[in-house]
Amino acid sequence: MHIPDQLQFLLNRLREHLWVKPLIACVLSIGGVALAHVADSIPAAWEVPEIAQGSVVDLLKIIAASMLGVATFAVASMVAAYASTGQSATARAFPLVVADDVSQNALSIFVGAFIFSIVALSATTNDYFGKAGRFTLFVLTLLTLVIVVLVFVRWVDSIARLGRLGAVIAKVEQATAQALARRKQHPCLGGLAAGGPARGLAFHSDSSGYLQRVDMATLQRLAVTNGLRITLAVLPGGVIVPSRPLGYVLPDSENSGPVEAALLRKAFIIGPLRHFDEDPRFGLVVLAEIGCRALSPGVNDPGTAIGILGSLQRLFADWASPAEPDAPEYDRIEVPPLSLDDMFDDVFPALARDGAGLIEVAMRIQRVLGELARCGDPRLASVASRQALLAMARAERALDFPPDLEQLRLRHADYWNDEAALNTLRGRMNHA
């Protein structure tokens, strides 16, 4: 089932709050107890087994006594994992770790089971249930125990990885890949590609922050109603200030109706933080931050930086692969396409700067950029060539061991088909 973009955006924000799923579980738990009481008022055509009230009470006491402790332990483990994320990876990956479904579901089940047992215990000890109600409550209690055990076993396996560096990198790469895939399917957010200088009357934001989402459907409706064409000046993830235009409005004719800037501004969601949903560059920036932290002198983990370069290679290779984008849905809105130069500038200069003095990182940067250039996309090859030259220049200033520098030059020349330089370097290495 296709979920509308606006609803999906709101659901993703709710997933980043820990209280939402536990609250839903508490409501369902109370509803389960009420369902058991409803069973007393339903005329049954068969005899339900007689369940002793004491056995139900004892079972509920066991759940009530254990679930609070388990829920407390779950929260403590999750908080420790969240703290580990900020220390080992980057604080920008925190929303992805918080939104982990396995951990949120486990906490919700534990809290829901505790609430269910407390409410059911209070109702049972006050003779709230008849014969059918006690049987229904007994079945629900056994079902709750089974769910708790299964969720706990699965959660133990997940919590051992939650917050670990490898798991965080995988989550960031997955979120970035999804954002890139959506943008590849809708290169201009479902609108037309903007070309040439923007024309029309500029409209501005009255607040500062990051552009998190653009409601294209609202803008299209305003454009159709008032006979306008709208050109966006920023993409999700861009920095918004009141002095910078959000976009431009161009009337179709003299008879086009005016539109209030306040109505246009309502289509732009601006907040203090960037999100992964519709901002592919943010995921790339977060990956670069993780790699740069690994290359810092205090951490000194070039293997993680090399792993990040592997993630970047996969992401850009997928971006360059052929695909048939969807037809533009909003024909009155022009949107600037995502810049490949900007995407490369988000990641490779920082990694090349911090890894310039490490031969293994510098070699991997040349390999990743060289392999990306061979994907068959001329634009990608041009951008990769520029970044490879910049990375090479940084490494030449940082590497002070001549054989390492010769080896790096040989790899660069090998990928970029510089035959003269390649033969010279090979001769030098053979002579050495």
Side-chain angles (χ1 to χ4, degrees), residues 178-189:
Q178 291 173 351
L180 285 171
R182 285 192 294 269
R183 184 59 63 86
K184 190 175 180 179
Q185 201 69 28
H186 306 282
C188 298
L189 303 178

Side-chain angles (χ1 to χ4, degrees), residues 188-189 191-204 211 214 216 219-220 223 228-235 244-252 264 268 330-337:
C188 298
L189 303 178
L192 302 175
R199 297 178 301 161
L201 181 65
F203 60 94
H204 299 255
L211 180 59
V214 181
M216 297 289 287
L219 291 179
Q220 174 75 6
L228 307 170
R229 294 194 176 275
I230 301 173
T231 301
L232 299 189
V234 289
L235 291 173
R244 180 181 179 182
L246 289 174
Y248 300 87
V249 175
L250 182 65
D252 278 346
L264 294 170
F268 296 81
Y330 309 108
D331 59 353
R332 286 185 168 270
I333 307 174
E334 294 184 355
V335 181

Side-chain angles (χ1 to χ4, degrees), residues 347-372:
V347 289
F348 287 106
L351 292 172
R353 177 200 63 211
D354 293 342
L358 299 173
I359 181 61
E360 61 269 38
V361 177
M363 292 281 285
R364 183 55 63 94
I365 289 175
Q366 293 297 324
R367 169 174 288 181
V368 168
L369 291 171
E371 294 296 336
L372 288 175

Side-chain angles (χ1 to χ4, degrees), residues 6-288:
Q6 186 173 3
L7 179 58
Q8 184 65 59
F9 181 83
L10 295 175
L11 290 176
N12 289 340
R13 301 290 74 77
L14 288 176
R15 288 181 60 202
E16 296 173 2
H17 296 279
L18 279 179
W19 58 267
V20 176
K21 287 188 176 180
L23 177 62
I24 295 175
C26 291
V27 173
L28 293 177
S29 300
I30 298 174
V33 177
L35 178 65
H37 179 65
V38 170
D40 287 326
S41 59
I42 299 177
W46 65 89
E47 278 294 322
V48 296
E50 180 69 39
I51 302 297
Q53 180 171 310
S55 63
V56 178
V57 169
D58 292 340
L59 198 57
L60 291 172
K61 285 182 178 179
I62 294 173
I63 297 177
S66 58
M67 281 301 99
L68 183 60
V70 172
T72 304
F73 169 71
V75 171
S77 301
M78 292 166 67
V79 170
Y82 300 154
S84 175
T85 299
Q87 294 173 0
S88 63
T90 173
R92 259 63 62 190
F94 178 75
L96 294 179
V97 181
V98 172
D100 179 67
D101 287 330
V102 176
S103 298
Q104 286 199 7
N105 292 340
L107 179 62
S108 303
I109 293 298
F110 300 153
V111 173
F114 174 73
I115 297 298
F116 171 81
S117 60
I118 292 297
V119 175
L121 188 61
S122 301
T124 304
T125 53
N126 286 281
D127 297 326
Y128 187 65
F129 301 108
K131 180 181 178 181
R134 282 196 304 272
F135 174 76
T136 304
L137 184 64
F138 181 73
V139 172
L140 291 175
T141 304
L142 293 180
L143 182 61
T144 300
L145 278 175
V146 171
I147 294 175
V148 165
V149 171
L150 293 177
V151 169
F152 182 79
V153 171
R154 186 186 178 203
W155 174 75
V156 167
D157 179 72
S158 174
I159 199 64
R161 299 177 176 84
L162 185 67
R164 297 297 184 265
L165 185 57
V168 174
I169 293 174
K171 285 183 177 295
V172 176
E173 181 180 350
Q174 181 183 13
T176 307
Q178 291 173 351
L180 285 171
R182 285 192 294 269
R183 184 59 63 86
K184 190 175 180 179
Q185 201 69 28
H186 306 282
C188 298
L189 303 178
L192 302 175
R199 297 178 301 161
L201 181 65
F203 60 94
H204 299 255
S205 170
D206 55 2
S207 61
S208 300
Y210 291 102
L211 180 59
Q212 297 175 342
R213 184 178 182 276
V214 181
D215 189 348
M216 297 289 287
T218 297
L219 291 179
Q220 174 75 6
R221 185 171 61 253
L222 290 173
V224 171
T225 303
N226 296 278
L228 307 170
R229 294 194 176 275
I230 301 173
T231 301
L232 299 189
V234 289
L235 291 173
V239 178
I240 302 300
V241 292
S243 61
R244 180 181 179 182
L246 289 174
Y248 300 87
V249 175
L250 182 65
D252 278 346
S253 64
E254 296 180 355
N255 297 325
S256 298
V259 59
E260 296 183 12
L263 296 177
L264 294 170
R265 285 195 290 264
K266 288 182 179 179
F268 296 81
I269 299 178
I270 300 171
L273 301 174
R274 297 174 72 174
H275 294 303
F276 292 89
D277 308 53
E278 299 182 16
D279 183 7
R281 291 180 58 186
F282 182 51
L284 297 174
V285 169
V286 173
L287 286 172

Side-chain angles (χ1 to χ4, degrees), residues 316 319 338-345 377 379-381 383:
F316 282 116
W319 177 260
L338 203 59
S339 170
L340 196 59
D341 282 285
D342 291 342
M343 294 165 67
F344 269 68
D345 287 339
D377 187 337
R379 295 176 306 160
L380 190 64
V383 177

